[in-house]
């Protein structure tokens, strides 16, 4: 794989055109430009290897040395273009702060200290308002460097403000480190399932290690960091019902006391998504939609493609909410449009959109299209588990099992069921109680899934069993197991299929009843 070509392929058509114009602008000679020619070849739908590229660029005789020098020049031009574009599209306060700081430094060198200090004061105010601690520290360092100027403020006051800023910056950095560390330590729980680590103890230890136990919502950036830490723990525990009111109180308090400046849009979007996701998991669907719509309004007000990577996450969650509000066709339309959008979704987002679309097709009774969409993922179980996590894989495989059963392929459904059960039994074997630990049922934290598969197996063996009173009674006991999972909506979706078989009613109708 050609890394330079891969990078260029990520550009949108508009960006590719702008890059070519940028390259033309950098040099006077507009004809015979080998760097532009190389750009065109690397952006060609057909991928050429180095030998072919050299022959196309130098038909009079291969010149590998000139070719690799040309690649270096193109890479530098691409880097310069992306830096310029980033500054143009960056609406955060960091850009104007650095701009004022650069101008101030120029004015000091040019011998205009009065105006330079005016620029420094503007830069300081911008950075303070937006909590841009790193560029603010640079501003204070320049102020200290030029504190001898008659236009300067008292040096002691500058040093005091710098120390105060360093303390705030250090707290934010510690929150960032704690967030990253917790992500890493919880990765095993995500890959191997809930219950793999003592989450509450882990969170307490990380917060204590980085002196964050008493930290609270003093700023949008710090609030986002701390809620991100809490959310990681919630996702592993599945404790959505208790987390939703907590994050909602924090968000409303921040909104009421401080509000969100344009420079805080990124933090606001992250908070809105976490809040909407928690409300969705708590089955407060209309409220979740309201916060998602608020986030989409913030996105629409943002300049250019500043937060383009956030848009798909809001669309996926909005589609999921619609499904539980009897708007499943709106869900399908939303996801189909997201998959057709330009620029294309990132690879992981494409997988998530297709898997989610599979469930919506299933709810509509369009099993053939659901099957086709699932096949289009084109990934092995091992790859999905390593990259997306065990729970993502379980949702995929159980969905495939039910689709094949609805398509009238019981043998294929049984093969998939046995593979799922074998994986859970191998990864979470049963264990008898000891003096130090209680007994572990088959499947461990996924014992409810094991029980569920046993019931589906009976339906595969004898479809008529679903209508018997004894089977209905066993299905009725499933909510007791679901409550141990905090009634995860994915599990409820699968339970609704069983319930629909027992009642002889349409799946989607039963799903809406169970979810509410």
């Amino acid at each position: 794989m050609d890394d330079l070509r891969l990078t260029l392929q990520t550009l949108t058509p508009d960006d590719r055109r702008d890059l070519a114009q940028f390259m033309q602008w950098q040099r006077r000679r507009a004809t015979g430009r080998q760097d532009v020619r190389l750009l065109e070849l690397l952006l060609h739908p057909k991928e050429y290897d180095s030998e072919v590229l050299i022959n196309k660029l130098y038909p009079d005789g291969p010149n590998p040395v000139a070719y690799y020098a040309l690649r270096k020049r193109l890479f530098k031009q691409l880097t310069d273009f992306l830096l310029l574009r980033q500054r143009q599209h960056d609406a955060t306060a960091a850009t104007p702060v650095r701009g004022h700081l650069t101008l101030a430094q120029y004015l000091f060198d040019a011998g205009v200290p009065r105006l330079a200090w005016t620029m420094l004061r503007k830069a300081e105010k911008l950075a303070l308002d937006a909590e841009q601690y790193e560029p603010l520290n640079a501003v204070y360092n320049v102020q200290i460097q030029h504190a001898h100027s008659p236009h300067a403020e008292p040096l002691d006051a500058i040093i005091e403000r710098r120390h105060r800023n360093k303390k705030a910056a250090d707290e934010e950095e510690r929150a960032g480190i704690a967030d990253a560390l917790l992500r890493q330590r919880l990765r095993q729980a995500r890959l191997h399932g809930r219950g793999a680590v003592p989450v509450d103890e882990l969170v307490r230890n990380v917060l204590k290690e980085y002196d964050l136990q008493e930290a609270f919502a003093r700023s949008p950036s710090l609030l986002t960091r701390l809620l991100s830490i809490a959310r990681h723990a919630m996702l592993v525990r599945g404790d959505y019902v208790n987390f939703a009111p907590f994050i909602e109180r924090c968000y409303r308090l921040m909104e009421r006391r401080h509000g969100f400046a344009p420079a805080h849009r990124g933090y606001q979007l992250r908070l809105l998504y976490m809040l909407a996701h928690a409300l969705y998991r708590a089955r407060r669907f209309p409220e979740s939609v309201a916060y998602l719509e608020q986030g989409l309004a913030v996105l629409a007000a943002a300049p250019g493609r500043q937060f383009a990577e956030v848009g798909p996450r809001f669309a996926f969650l909005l589609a999921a909410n619609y499904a539980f509000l009897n708007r499943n066709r709106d869900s399908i339309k939303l996801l189909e449009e997201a998959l057709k959008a330009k620029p294309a979704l990132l690879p992981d987002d494409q997988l998530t959109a297709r898997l989610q679309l599979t469930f919506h097709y299933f709810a509509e009774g369009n099993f053939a299209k659901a099957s086709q969409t699932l096949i289009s993922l084109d990934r092995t179980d091992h790859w999905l588990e390593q990259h997306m996590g065990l729970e993502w894989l379980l949702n995929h495989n159980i969905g495939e099992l039910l689709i094949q059963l609805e398509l009238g392929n019981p043998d294929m459904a049984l093969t998939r069921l046995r593979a799922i059960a074998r994986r859970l039994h191998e990864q979470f074997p049963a264990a008898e109680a000891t003096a130090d630990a209680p007994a572990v049922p088959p499947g461990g934290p996924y014992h409810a899934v094991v029980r569920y598969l046993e019931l589906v197996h009976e339906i595969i063996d004898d479809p008529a069993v679903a209508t018997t009173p004894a089977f209905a009674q066993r299905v009725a006991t499933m909510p007791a197991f679901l409550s141990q999972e905090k009634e995860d909506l994915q599990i409820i979706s699968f339970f609704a299929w069983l319930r629909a078989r027992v009642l002889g009613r349409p799946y989607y109708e039963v799903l809406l009843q169970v979810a509410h």
Side-chain angles (χ1 to χ4, degrees):
M1 175 63 72
D2 187 327
D3 291 341
L4 179 56
R5 181 178 187 274
L6 178 62
T7 305
L8 290 168
Q9 290 286 338
T10 63
L11 299 176
T12 65
D14 288 344
D15 286 337
R16 296 177 186 184
R17 184 191 65 247
D18 292 345
L19 173 59
Q21 292 175 348
F22 176 78
M23 293 166 63
Q24 294 284 5
W25 170 77
Q26 281 194 316
R27 299 192 177 201
R28 292 179 180 275
R29 186 162 56 96
T31 59
R33 291 287 301 274
Q34 291 288 66
D35 49 2
V36 176
R37 175 63 176 150
L38 177 58
L39 174 64
E40 293 172 350
L41 291 170
L42 291 175
L43 288 175
H44 194 275
K46 181 179 179 181
E47 183 174 0
Y48 300 113
D49 59 26
S50 296
E51 183 178 353
V52 174
L53 289 171
I54 291 172
N55 290 332
K56 285 182 175 291
L57 290 166
Y58 308 100
D60 297 334
N63 192 340
V65 175
Y67 167 71
Y68 286 106
L70 184 64
R71 286 179 62 91
K72 288 183 179 179
R73 186 161 79 241
L74 177 56
F75 181 77
K76 183 179 184 304
Q77 290 168 327
L78 173 63
T79 304
D80 292 343
F81 168 75
L82 292 175
L83 286 172
L84 179 62
R85 193 193 68 162
Q86 183 182 30
R87 290 199 62 182
Q88 290 174 337
H89 293 160
D90 186 3
T92 64
T95 296
V97 170
R98 293 192 178 99
H100 282 78
L101 181 58
T102 300
L103 180 56
Q105 290 171 318
Y106 167 79
L107 291 170
F108 279 126
D109 293 340
V112 193
R114 180 191 61 78
L115 189 53
W117 265 98
T118 299
M119 293 299 106
L120 284 179
R121 292 187 181 96
K122 288 183 178 180
E124 180 183 4
K125 185 179 186 307
L126 284 170
L128 280 169
D129 290 343
E131 300 171 7
Q132 294 288 330
Y133 302 120
E134 182 182 349
L136 181 56
N137 190 61
V139 170
Y140 287 140
N141 287 338
V142 175
Q143 288 183 352
I144 291 170
Q145 180 184 351
H146 295 277
H148 60 276
S149 169
H151 306 284
E153 298 180 10
L155 179 59
D156 290 345
I158 299 173
I159 293 175
E160 181 183 352
R161 295 201 300 272
R162 180 185 180 278
H163 289 340
R164 190 162 57 242
N165 177 68
K166 288 288 287 184
K167 182 179 179 181
D170 179 65
E171 187 171 52
E172 185 179 50
E173 288 174 2
R174 284 186 282 111
I177 293 171
D179 184 14
L181 187 61
L182 191 62
R183 285 174 184 264
Q184 183 187 62
R185 292 182 181 177
L186 290 177
R187 181 167 176 77
Q188 287 301 324
R190 176 175 175 269
L191 290 176
H192 301 297
R194 300 174 187 167
V197 293
V199 179
D200 291 335
E201 180 182 351
L202 182 56
V203 172
R204 284 196 300 271
N205 290 341
V206 170
L207 293 179
K208 182 178 180 180
E209 182 179 354
Y210 289 92
D211 193 23
L212 294 169
Q213 310 99 302
E214 303 301 325
F216 58 95
R218 287 188 289 266
S219 70
S221 60
L222 187 58
L223 175 63
T224 303
R225 291 287 192 184
L226 295 175
L227 288 180
S228 178
I229 292 173
R231 182 171 181 264
H232 293 323
M234 178 275 296
L235 287 174
V236 175
R237 292 197 311 267
D239 194 5
Y240 314 108
V241 173
N242 291 324
F243 182 69
F246 168 68
I247 186 175
E248 190 170 25
R249 285 195 304 271
C250 290
Y251 180 83
R252 288 181 174 176
L253 182 64
M254 176 60 64
E255 188 177 40
R256 185 170 62 253
R257 288 187 176 179
H258 307 290
F260 294 93
H264 293 148
R265 283 195 183 104
Y267 300 126
Q268 185 181 12
L269 286 169
R270 287 184 63 188
L271 290 170
L272 283 170
Y273 180 82
M274 286 191 283
L275 174 53
H277 182 262
L279 289 169
Y280 163 75
R281 290 294 194 176
R283 292 192 265 179
R284 294 163 60 181
F285 305 117
E287 296 166 80
S288 178
V289 168
Y291 282 111
L292 287 171
E293 290 174 344
Q294 185 178 339
L296 290 172
V298 174
L299 276 172
R305 295 177 295 276
Q306 185 183 356
F307 302 110
E309 73 283 356
V310 181
R313 299 176 66 192
F314 276 79
F316 299 162
L317 187 53
L318 188 60
N321 273 286
Y322 282 166
F324 289 102
L325 291 171
N326 203 15
R327 297 176 60 184
N328 192 55
R329 292 183 181 178
D330 291 335
S331 302
I332 292 173
K333 181 181 177 181
L334 195 60
L335 292 172
E336 288 179 338
E337 290 176 350
L339 286 168
K340 295 176 183 176
K342 299 294 181 182
L345 296 174
L346 295 174
D348 284 0
D349 286 339
Q350 289 190 35
L351 291 174
T352 298
R354 293 183 190 281
L355 179 63
Q356 187 173 337
L357 192 53
T358 298
F359 283 93
H360 293 299
Y361 285 143
F362 188 94
E364 284 293 302
N366 196 339
F367 307 120
K369 204 163 187 178
S371 179
Q372 293 171 2
T373 305
L374 207 57
I375 292 172
S376 71
L377 298 185
D378 194 26
R379 292 291 189 275
T380 65
D381 282 5
H382 177 74
W383 190 96
L384 290 174
E385 182 175 6
Q386 292 300 312
H387 289 81
M388 309 300 288
L390 177 60
E391 293 192 16
W392 201 100
L393 175 64
L394 287 175
N395 289 332
H396 170 279
N397 289 351
I398 296 176
E400 182 183 6
L401 153 67
L402 299 182
I403 289 170
Q404 291 303 323
L405 195 52
E406 291 289 356
L407 286 172
N409 300 319
D411 292 341
M412 294 180 65
L414 185 58
T415 299
R416 177 51 79 185
L417 184 148
R418 286 171 174 165
I420 301 170
R422 182 168 58 253
R423 181 184 297 273
L424 292 176
H425 282 286
E426 289 176 354
Q427 291 189 216
F428 305 98
E432 295 182 357
T434 65
D436 300 322
V440 177
Y446 294 97
H447 181 49
V449 179
V450 173
R451 285 287 306 273
Y452 177 84
L453 294 175
E454 291 172 354
L455 294 171
V456 175
H457 196 166
E458 292 186 34
I459 292 177
I460 295 175
D461 289 340
D462 179 14
V465 74
T467 59
T468 63
F471 188 87
Q473 180 60 36
R474 293 172 62 196
V475 171
T477 65
M478 285 295 292
F481 289 93
L482 296 177
S483 65
Q484 297 175 11
E485 302 292 324
K486 303 298 187 292
E487 298 193 353
D488 188 303
L489 283 173
Q490 294 291 348
I491 298 178
I492 287 177
S493 298
F494 295 134
F495 169 74
W497 179 86
L498 267 182
R499 184 74 175 157
R501 280 296 183 108
V502 169
L503 298 175
R505 291 164 52 191
Y507 161 73
Y508 188 43
E509 178 184 313
V510 175
L511 174 64
L512 293 177
Q513 179 183 352
V514 172
H516 289 82

